[in-house]
């Protein structure tokens, strides 16, 4: 007896096999601890009032980190953004495909900044590697 399996089923099963191009980095043993360190690093700044770090690795939001920062009035959102990106970039957080940073000045929301760094895009990663060195891995 022959079993006919639709091609879509075969592709779905093959996609779950774990094979692929290269070995993915080992998952972070303590994403919560890494997030707490990123939050502490930002809270040590005089121009930061509050920080919320989140990490997701789901099918709809793979290997993404988000850092929401409430700046103190008059702070430079670009400087805070760059520090948040540096802290996440230099962390041992694995896997990591993107770093989203949102900086809000509650007294002047227009001065805020919201950007995502796509770590799968060499145009985004090359300047970070040049400035901070390669990611730990």
């Amino acid at each position: 007896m022959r079993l006919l399996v639709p091609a879509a089923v075969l592709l779905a099963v093959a996609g779950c096999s774990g094979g692929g191009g290269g070995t993915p980095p080992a998952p972070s043993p303590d994403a919560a601890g890494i997030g707490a360190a990123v939050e502490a690093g930002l809270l040590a700044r005089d121009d930061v009032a509050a920080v919320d770090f989140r990490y997701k690795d789901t099918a709809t939001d793979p290997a993404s980190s988000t850092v929401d920062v409430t700046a103190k009035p008059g702070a430079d959102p670009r400087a805070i953004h760059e520090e948040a990106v540096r802290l996440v970039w230099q962390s041992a957080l694995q896997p990591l495909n993107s770093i989203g940073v949102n900086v809000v000045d509650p007294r002047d929301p227009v001065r805020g900044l919201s950007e995502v760094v796509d770590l799968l895009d060499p145009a985004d990663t090359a300047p970070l590697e040049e400035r901070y060195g390669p990611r730990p891995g």
Side-chain angles (χ1 to χ4, degrees):
M1 177 174 159
R2 295 178 78 181
L3 179 62
L4 296 175
V5 180
V9 172
L10 289 175
L11 289 174
V13 172
C16 296
S17 69
T23 304
S28 297
D30 184 18
I34 291 169
V38 169
E39 288 177 354
L42 288 166
L43 287 169
R45 295 175 58 101
D46 292 336
D47 55 356
V48 172
V51 181
D52 181 36
F53 175 90
R54 292 179 311 284
Y55 175 75
K56 292 182 184 178
D57 192 13
T58 64
T60 57
D61 204 3
S64 65
S65 67
T66 304
V67 184
D68 292 324
V69 182
T70 302
K72 290 184 179 174
D76 178 2
R78 175 60 58 194
I80 295 170
H81 174 274
E82 288 176 7
E83 180 66 2
V85 169
R86 181 191 72 78
L87 288 168
V88 176
W89 174 265
Q90 291 179 332
S91 77
L93 192 60
Q94 294 290 348
L96 187 59
N97 294 345
S98 66
I99 303 170
V101 178
N102 305 301
V103 181
V104 176
D105 180 338
R107 290 196 185 156
D108 189 4
V110 175
R111 293 193 60 225
L113 176 66
S114 182
E115 292 182 357
V116 175
V117 178
D118 180 358
L119 301 183
L120 302 177
D121 183 350
D124 281 2
T125 59
L128 296 176
E129 287 179 349
E130 185 177 308
R131 194 175 307 139
Y132 308 123
R135 281 212 72 234

